[in-house]
Amino acid sequence: MSITVPAPDPALAAGLDCPLRVLDLDGTRLHDPLLDAHLGDIDESALADLYLDMVRVRRLDTEAFALTRQGHLVLWPPLLGQEAAQVGAARSLEQRDWVFGSYREHGFALLRGADMAEFARIWKAYAHGGWDPHEINMAPSQIIIGAQSLHGVGYAMAAKMDGSDEVALTAFGDGATSEGDVNEALVWASAFQAPVVFLCQNNQYAISEPVAVQSGGLPLALRPTGFGIPSMRVDGNDVLAMLAAGRIAVERARAGGGPTFIEAVTYRRGPHTTTDDPKRYRDEAEVEAWVAKDPIDRVERALERMGVDMDPVRAEAKVRADRLAKEFRAAAEHAEPPAAEEIFDNVYAQPSRRLERQRAEHLAFVASLAEESK
Ligand SMILES: Cc1ncc(C[n+]2csc(CCOP(=O)(O)OP(=O)(O)O)c2C)c(N)n1
Ligand SMILES: [Mg+2]
């Protein structure tokens, strides 16, 4: 038997030399033949909507960070700097599509419509999953690095078998690409041409580990090409480039064209979580260089260049962000802890005898404590 080895497809990876970008740092609209074809409908008002989304996402993030410092939440993994990567990709999906993300996907959660009270309970350690995944078509936050890529591919394979045209997007970090799970997910997605979008937010660090250590200095967007998966390396701080790349990937998946990998080149400006001190492993100058590439400022400049009067847009953004922050703060401050025995409720769909026994033992133990303190 002879095996035909296909010639390498030059279209398999785009943006390897320089990440794809359509909004320059000063807001100038650049032209990219690949991305432009998917941005025909983006006028001033559509761009302003993306701006409003990003401002709300940032406000949720900064409010939650402050709430953690004030003792109302117990932990927060900030996304400061990654707003465009999440908003652009989230807005390329339909609501019937599914998202499988990590613990840093607050932008996706907000835009998919997660209940903010439930969301606050997660980060107060009062709830395991928080929102109802089936209400917003987004799986609970995943802490096991990369595991959600397998869940996303599994969902996509099932959707294909069911003859549905739903697409699954799985979001993970640069560090996750070193995990077996992500590599296995790439194999399965390629072998079964699953309708899945792999979104790698390369925020330059896996906790304190810089990406170059894990990538050998090569673009992460090269990796999926070894699995036969087309790939795009995109400026992750350019919301329009992210929207266009997302649309390309989603349309390909929906039309039966299989998986696509997007590397969003971005930067985590905050600490890994509120328990991390990034000053121990990186220079302030590096952070400052990325502040100059701020995804929200860039869109403000673009709108100004288009002749939009930004005063009312900024005012509207403030109203919406304030409303969200107030709602989230109230939820975080007033969340009530669950009864301790609720921990047994959601382990399995059906209760088991062993779990029932553990619950009874636990309740007896709690009752004995009350007895002792009398
Ligand atoms: C399987 C597994 N290994 C290790 C960890 C500990 N851990 C938590 S976050 C993290 C770094 C992840 O980095 P990256 O994938 O780049 O995502 P980011 O946090 O930057 O968004 C690690 C190693 C974990 N949660 N799961
Ligand atoms: Mg990372």
Side-chain angles (χ1 to χ4, degrees):
M1 192 179 82
S2 73
I3 297 172
T4 318
V5 179
D9 179 353
L12 203 56
L16 290 183
D17 297 338
C18 180
L20 305 176
R21 174 187 285 177
V22 291
L23 280 184
D24 216 345
L25 302 194
D26 64 359
T28 308
R29 178 73 165 80
L30 304 172
H31 291 287
D32 178 279
L34 180 66
L35 302 186
D36 280 349
H38 298 265
L39 294 171
D41 60 324
I42 302 297
D43 56 10
E44 288 93 345
S45 132
L47 186 56
D49 283 344
L50 293 167
Y51 170 80
L52 294 173
D53 283 343
M54 286 196 289
V55 171
R56 279 198 319 139
V57 169
R58 177 165 295 180
R59 185 57 180 277
L60 173 65
D61 186 61
T62 48
E63 196 71 15
F65 197 100
L67 281 160
T68 310
R69 290 286 186 251
Q70 292 159 3
H72 296 296
L73 298 177
V74 296
L75 184 76
W76 185 255
L79 61 65
L80 181 66
Q82 297 179 222
E83 297 85 353
Q86 294 196 17
V87 167
R91 288 300 186 209
S92 71
L93 295 167
E94 302 282 341
Q95 194 63 33
R96 69 181 188 283
D97 298 325
W98 269 76
V99 174
F100 296 80
S102 77
Y103 41 82
R104 209 183 293 286
E105 261 60 85
H106 318 308
F108 281 99
L110 180 68
L111 298 190
R112 308 259 335 144
D115 181 303
M116 285 298 110
E118 290 298 325
F119 194 46
R121 286 169 60 78
I122 302 173
W123 299 103
K124 201 164 183 171
Y126 283 179
H128 289 146
W131 64 78
D132 178 347
H134 292 278
E135 255 172 30
I136 63 167
N137 287 11
M138 177 164 171
S141 304
Q142 179 57 256
I143 302 283
I144 304 166
I145 304 302
Q148 70 275 20
S149 59
L150 290 170
H151 307 157
V153 171
Y155 189 93
M157 287 171 60
K160 186 173 175 178
M161 287 173 195
D162 284 350
S164 137
D165 73 347
E166 285 165 47
V167 171
L169 179 146
T170 174
F172 47 84
D174 43 289
T177 61
S178 300
E179 287 285 350
D181 282 4
V182 170
N183 288 274
E184 287 156 26
L186 290 167
V187 173
W188 281 76
S190 175
F192 289 89
Q193 287 295 286
V196 63
V197 179
F198 293 97
L199 170 62
C200 173
Q201 289 171 80
N202 176 1
N203 64 8
Q204 312 299 325
Y205 286 90
I207 313 185
S208 56
E209 197 75 11
V211 63
V213 177
Q214 308 197 42
S215 66
L218 294 172
L220 294 177
L222 255 185
R223 290 190 179 183
T225 65
F227 297 85
I229 294 178
S231 168
M232 285 174 277
R233 188 158 172 259
V234 181
D235 180 341
N237 286 18
D238 174 349
V239 74
L240 283 190
M242 285 303 302
L243 176 70
R247 285 175 168 181
I248 292 169
V250 169
E251 280 166 28
R252 176 179 293 148
R254 217 183 294 290
T260 304
F261 187 101
I262 300 170
E263 177 191 352
V265 181
T266 183
Y267 192 77
R268 190 201 78 213
R269 272 160 50 188
H272 171 68
T273 68
T274 38
T275 61
D276 171 47
D277 175 9
K279 290 198 176 69
R280 294 176 59 181
Y281 55 82
R282 70 183 189 189
D283 276 349
E284 266 314 287
E286 184 185 285
V287 182
E288 287 309 313
W290 281 89
V291 172
K293 298 183 198 169
D294 186 77
I296 300 183
D297 288 353
R298 198 184 296 196
V299 174
E300 280 201 37
R301 291 185 202 121
L303 286 166
E304 276 163 356
R305 279 177 184 273
M306 290 163 110
V308 174
D309 175 3
M310 280 308 287
D311 286 344
V313 181
R314 280 193 206 100
E316 177 62 22
K318 183 167 166 22
V319 168
R320 293 189 192 190
D322 284 351
R323 195 189 305 138
L324 171 65
K326 205 171 153 197
E327 183 194 346
F328 190 70
R329 172 168 288 273
E333 287 178 356
H334 303 305
E336 287 296 325
E341 66 271 19
E342 275 182 33
I343 195 137
F344 300 101
D345 286 349
N346 299 311
V347 181
Y348 297 113
Q350 301 294 331
S352 70
R353 284 233 301 278
R354 179 184 291 186
L355 265 184
E356 290 301 328
R357 195 181 67 235
Q358 288 178 7
R359 180 204 303 272
E361 280 169 9
H362 174 74
L363 287 173
F365 171 69
V366 173
S368 74
L369 292 179
E371 225 14 72
E372 266 174 34
S373 64
K374 268 186 191 164

